[in-house]
Amino acid sequence: MARVRRSLLTLAVGLSIVSFGVAAQVPTVSEPPADALSWLSGMRQAASKLSYKGILAFSRHGQVESFQLFHAVREGVEHERLISMNSPLREVVRNAEKVVCYYPDTQTAYVENKPSRHSLLLDFPEDLHQLTRYYHFSLQDQAYVAKRLARIISITPRDDYRYARRIWLDVESGLPLKSELLDETGADIEQMVFSTLELTADLPLHELEASIPDTSVKWEVSQQREMLSPASLEWSLEGVPEGFRIISYSRTKRPGNPVPLDHLLLSDGLSSVSIYLDEGKSDTLKSHPRKMGAFNMATRKVGTYQVTVMGEVPERTVAVIAEGLHHQEKTPHD
């Protein structure tokens, strides 16, 4: 799925029965798109413009989590709320100003004070045509998901550095009803699927707000993170697979540790890879790959740094990126 995104947004649903009546004011897809990219473009608009709620399940790392999702647009601003139905209980509330994750069990709330432009459901770039250099998109058969007719979109990588995907899009609304991430053998390693979905003209405000009063929680703001220019990076990246480019470079101060942690985010527009540069780690580190479901991770020592590369990409992708990282030592004239 694309990103939710790997901090607050890595959450995920169950079974229920709801009415699928759609109010007359709800916009729908009048003419089915003619090609896969047009379907995906319609999906981006539907996910951000429509009002809907439902129950969905995320399956990853051999575990299944159930969630309720509420989405609406009020005065041109997106509002979204995701509620876990399994332990540990949490709620994620998103609007134009911030993303907040509430933990009822501990009465704490974690906030990211930055706008999030994408739905918690998915994260596709605005320019979908750029992806055709690295993926092949095709229309497949129709099937039913949550009692709704869906068109299946197949996304196949053009090399061995990315995973394949399948997405089931609601024929009526264009919303994603199901998505799968497939490994190199074609096995399903991650899945999102709605069991119920209801389109509405609007949602009441209480369904978009956290159930925990803000005054009753302990607030924790994200660690101090400084955004840096990639031009200031003292590392060279050699052998990075075609299409992956630096999206962001940041430095985070850590409580109790005088050495900050640097983070690079690479993306081809659909798949993403994180690089963590941690100075002063133990010299006894052993370089070896690790895998957890769709995630692969590679670590190695580069001088005084521990380098960790991880993402929802094949093992060979993180390995080649890790091996191509070289620290450029400062000179007295720098």
Side-chain angles (χ1 to χ4, degrees):
M1 231 125 5
R3 299 167 311 273
V4 192
R5 330 188 181 359
R6 298 290 168 254
S7 55
L8 298 179
L9 309 183
T10 305
L11 298 175
V13 194
L15 205 59
S16 179
I17 299 177
V18 299
S19 167
F20 292 102
V22 180
Q25 301 97 315
V26 175
T28 58
V29 177
S30 56
E31 287 289 335
D35 59 79
L37 288 184
S38 296
W39 274 93
L40 292 173
S41 178
M43 173 193 70
R44 290 187 76 257
Q45 294 191 37
S48 63
K49 303 295 185 184
L50 298 183
S51 293
Y52 50 89
K53 61 182 178 180
I55 299 176
L56 63 157
F58 282 96
S59 173
R60 59 166 54 184
H61 311 327
Q63 297 182 333
V64 178
E65 294 194 75
S66 300
F67 287 81
Q68 289 179 290
L69 176 67
F70 301 88
H71 181 278
V73 178
R74 288 175 168 268
E75 299 180 352
V77 177
E78 270 191 89
H79 295 266
E80 204 161 25
R81 180 182 175 210
L82 194 64
I83 307 171
S84 68
M85 301 170 67
N86 310 90
S87 295
L89 299 178
R90 61 253 193 233
E91 296 183 31
V92 177
V93 177
R94 177 181 75 95
N95 57 35
E97 298 178 351
K98 59 187 177 182
V99 179
V100 183
C101 188
Y102 296 86
Y103 294 89
D105 292 342
T106 58
Q107 292 293 296
T108 57
Y110 182 91
V111 59
E112 271 192 58
N113 289 308
K114 65 174 185 177
S116 179
R117 302 188 316 170
H118 302 284
S119 165
L120 301 178
L121 276 180
L122 54 99
D123 189 3
F124 273 70
E126 292 184 17
D127 182 8
L128 294 171
H129 288 278
Q130 66 173 314
L131 298 176
T132 59
R133 295 182 59 185
Y134 319 114
Y135 301 90
H136 174 69
F137 298 82
S138 62
L139 287 176
Q140 302 296 318
D141 295 336
Q142 292 184 327
Y144 280 90
V145 178
K147 296 184 179 180
R148 302 181 71 90
L149 183 63
R151 169 68 78 175
I152 304 173
I153 309 297
S154 175
I155 305 175
T156 307
R158 298 186 184 274
D159 57 30
D160 297 328
Y161 294 107
R162 306 152 226 268
Y163 285 139
R165 291 166 167 79
R166 281 199 299 260
I167 302 178
W168 283 250
L169 299 181
D170 184 28
V171 171
E172 179 184 10
S173 67
L175 289 170
L177 299 175
K178 179 180 177 180
S179 66
E180 290 180 341
L181 191 64
L182 311 174
D183 68 11
E184 302 93 324
T185 68
D188 175 3
I189 51 177
E190 187 173 298
Q191 184 182 100
M192 180 282 290
V193 59
F194 274 94
S195 57
T196 68
L197 177 66
E198 179 182 358
L199 306 180
T200 73
D202 196 7
L203 290 176
L205 188 59
H206 72 85
E207 291 189 332
L208 301 170
E209 297 179 332
S211 60
I212 309 172
D214 286 351
T215 55
S216 67
V217 297
K218 176 184 176 182
W219 288 90
E220 297 183 5
V221 181
S222 58
Q223 294 175 327
Q224 295 183 8
R225 183 173 59 175
E226 178 186 5
M227 301 307 298
L228 304 174
S229 167
S232 66
L233 185 65
E234 296 176 357
W235 291 78
S236 62
L237 284 70
E238 302 174 4
V240 174
E242 183 183 4
F244 285 93
R245 61 185 184 87
I246 298 176
I247 301 301
S248 66
Y249 173 32
S250 63
R251 177 167 295 160
T252 302
K253 295 181 180 179
R254 297 176 287 185
N257 190 334
V259 181
L261 178 67
D262 284 6
H263 173 245
L264 282 170
L265 178 64
L266 310 183
S267 177
D268 65 0
L270 187 56
S271 301
S272 61
V273 176
S274 283
I275 301 174
Y276 294 94
L277 308 168
D278 196 355
E279 189 173 14
K281 280 287 186 176
S282 171
D283 293 331
T284 61
L285 173 74
K286 295 182 179 179
S287 300
H288 62 280
R290 279 177 278 179
K291 182 178 181 65
M292 180 181 290
F295 274 90
N296 278 288
M297 179 169 68
T299 55
R300 62 184 287 250
K301 287 290 290 186
V302 180
T304 59
Y305 286 83
Q306 174 180 309
V307 173
T308 302
V309 181
M310 61 186 299
E312 285 189 335
V313 291
E315 180 181 323
R316 64 178 297 171
T317 309
V318 296
V320 72
I321 293 175
E323 288 301 319
L325 281 165
H326 300 284
H327 188 221
Q328 299 172 328
E329 296 288 348
K330 289 184 178 180
T331 67
H333 300 290
D334 286 346

